[in-house]
Amino acid sequence: MAAYDKADLERRMAGAVESLKHDLGGLRTGRASTALLDPVTVEVYGSHMPLNQVATVSVPEPRMLSVQVWDKTNVGPVEKAIRSAGLGLNPINDGLTLRLPIPDLTEERRKELAKLANQYAEKARIAVRNVRRDGMDSLKTDEKKGVFSEDERKRHETEVQKLTDATIVDLDAAAAAKEKEILGK
């Protein structure tokens, strides 16, 4: 077990927040966003590649995405990948360009997306708690090795707990903002 490293704990907790924001960015809210297609991978050239490595994604209108495929032979696989990504999007093929109209969300779909946003947030909270546990364990180990006195360990544990609490507040705020955006309230 590594020695207590506050900067490492901060970095890992910040990573959990960034990961949550990235996951939430992929949730559809009824408005077009290039982040919507981030999770899409396309099977081309014998391997799976992120969509942004075979095409340019843009937002020409608020409720429309445009996917400009660079290689004509990849238009079919890109269209198939978007259809099968579970995003509820139906590409319209215009040669090298795929147009993706963003349909209105049904109330049921909005609730599903809000639930998914909360699942992402819970996954991030668990990650933060795991980082906290690692930090507490390394503090106890350092105290046994004589690096810290008991008082110093307790002071550092308080720091770790404050960092954890602040990070969870950030996670909850990001999830609440996304839920509000999805439900249109």
Side-chain angles (χ1 to χ4, degrees), residues 15-184:
V17 174
E18 284 309 306
S19 176
L20 173 66
K21 288 180 178 173
H22 180 266
D23 288 347
L24 293 176
L27 291 180
R28 191 156 70 86
T29 60
R31 285 203 310 271
S33 163
T34 57
L36 189 59
L37 297 177
D38 283 353
V40 177
T41 57
V42 186
E43 193 171 342
V44 288
Y45 311 122
S47 67
H48 288 276
M49 299 176 80
L51 179 64
N52 62 10
Q53 291 184 8
V54 294
T56 304
V57 180
S58 60
V59 183
E61 303 168 29
R63 301 187 62 75
M64 175 81 67
L65 284 173
S66 174
V67 180
Q68 181 80 39
V69 184
W70 301 328
D71 183 348
K72 194 175 181 105
T73 59
N74 293 337
V75 174
V78 168
E79 186 175 356
K80 181 181 173 203
I82 293 170
R83 280 188 202 281
S84 62
L87 297 170
L89 300 174
N90 287 315
I92 301 166
N93 191 334
D94 288 345
L96 280 176
T97 305
L98 296 172
R99 289 183 302 124
L100 305 171
I102 308 292
D104 279 332
L105 294 173
T106 63
E107 189 60 32
E108 186 179 333
R109 183 71 177 135
R110 285 178 192 275
K111 285 185 174 130
E112 283 175 27
L113 288 172
K115 202 180 288 183
L116 192 57
N118 285 324
Q119 286 173 356
Y120 287 159
E122 184 54 30
K123 195 171 74 177
R125 282 187 210 100
I126 289 168
V128 167
R129 288 193 293 262
N130 287 339
V131 173
R132 174 187 171 277
R133 187 195 61 228
D134 291 349
M136 296 296 193
D137 289 350
S138 64
L139 284 171
K140 286 184 179 110
T141 305
D142 285 352
E143 183 190 5
K144 282 185 184 130
K145 288 180 184 172
V147 178
F148 292 135
S149 68
E150 184 180 348
D151 290 343
E152 285 177 293
R153 175 186 56 87
K154 286 182 178 174
R155 195 181 76 247
H156 286 305
E157 282 179 352
T158 305
E159 281 177 10
V160 171
Q161 187 58 51
K162 282 181 181 164
L163 180 62
T164 303
D165 294 343
T167 305
I168 296 232
V169 166
D170 291 348
L171 294 175
D172 290 346
K178 188 64 173 189
E179 187 174 346
K180 185 177 176 186
E181 187 182 338
I182 290 169
L183 297 174

